[in-house]
Amino acid sequence: GDVYKRQVTTSGFFRPFAANPGESFIYDNNGSNILGILLARAVGQPLDAFAEEMLFKPLGITDYGWRRTPDGHLATSGGLSLSTDAIVRFGRLAMHRGDWNGRSIVSKAFADEMLSRKIPVNPQEGLDYGYLWFAQRTPDDKHESFIAQGFGGQVLQLVPDLGLIVATTTEPGEKSNTRFIRSAILPAAKG
């Protein structure tokens, strides 16, 4: 019983949950890092080797960097450095429900689950969270959009109804571009 009231960090230490799982949203890098460790165990190989074989090569991504946590695991909470073009490729993969040029890279079922609302983040703004993606209606309330935010202001935003993919990169420490995308780019996209 008590184990469900604590979360483990990547270094194996326990700390109390801020709330019961599924009741509220607080983004936590540890959760994403633990997810990466569990995924590596599930696929039976180092996560970077798996990603290289199953994602990067099929998508034509050759130039990237991936930092590690102090305990040697890949930093899956924000340690992957990609070009804007590579980020757009991930956006195309998500928009096409896991299909890349006729090849299924991710199952359509998982792609659909990934881009769906799971838990409210900010009900006043209609912002929810799913599988590492935020979900929010466009400012005109006509279309669903999905937002993946990375370290240092990197943003990938999709509006599937419009076929729109917006990817931005910034220098580490810069502000996120989500407000700019929401206030300037999305209103200009007509659908």
Side-chain angles (χ1 to χ4, degrees):
D2 187 43
V3 73
Y4 296 107
K5 299 200 184 301
R6 298 176 292 155
Q7 90 178 356
V8 68
T9 64
T10 56
S11 57
F13 294 103
F14 287 95
R15 67 180 187 190
F17 280 123
N20 289 325
E23 288 183 356
S24 67
F25 175 85
I26 301 172
Y27 180 82
D28 182 352
N29 285 341
N30 276 318
S32 294
N33 285 330
I34 290 169
L35 180 62
I37 292 167
L38 294 174
L39 180 57
R41 287 182 185 165
V43 299
Q45 64 182 9
L47 191 56
D48 48 355
F50 178 76
E52 174 75 25
E53 176 187 341
M54 303 303 291
L55 283 173
F56 300 148
K57 280 185 182 177
L59 296 177
I61 298 171
T62 57
D63 187 24
Y64 62 92
W66 207 335
R67 289 183 299 106
R68 294 190 174 275
T69 63
D71 55 354
H73 297 288
L74 286 175
T76 51
S77 64
L80 181 60
S81 298
L82 296 168
S83 68
T84 308
D85 177 69
I87 294 170
V88 168
R89 289 169 185 258
F90 277 106
R92 281 186 51 212
L93 180 66
M95 285 273 276
H96 292 115
R97 300 177 58 213
D99 183 77
W100 185 258
N101 297 331
R103 178 180 172 196
S104 179
I105 305 296
V106 176
S107 76
K108 286 186 183 347
F110 181 78
D112 289 344
E113 277 297 308
M114 179 181 75
L115 296 182
S116 65
R117 295 170 181 262
K118 303 294 181 205
I119 189 165
V121 173
N122 184 335
Q124 296 83 3
E125 293 184 19
L127 186 66
D128 294 330
Y129 198 66
Y131 293 164
L132 303 177
W133 290 79
F134 290 93
Q136 187 175 40
R137 305 284 299 171
T138 55
D140 62 7
D141 202 36
K142 290 183 180 178
H143 310 282
E144 189 77 277
S145 75
F146 302 96
I147 307 148
Q149 290 184 268
F151 176 74
Q154 281 69 348
V155 176
L156 171 60
Q157 187 156 356
L158 312 176
V159 184
D161 292 353
L162 301 178
L164 180 66
I165 300 170
V166 179
T168 65
T169 54
T170 63
E171 293 295 320
E174 294 292 319
K175 289 186 174 183
S176 172
N177 291 307
T178 54
R179 290 190 197 280
F180 173 73
I181 293 168
R182 186 160 182 76
S183 66
I185 295 175
L186 294 184
K190 302 292 181 195

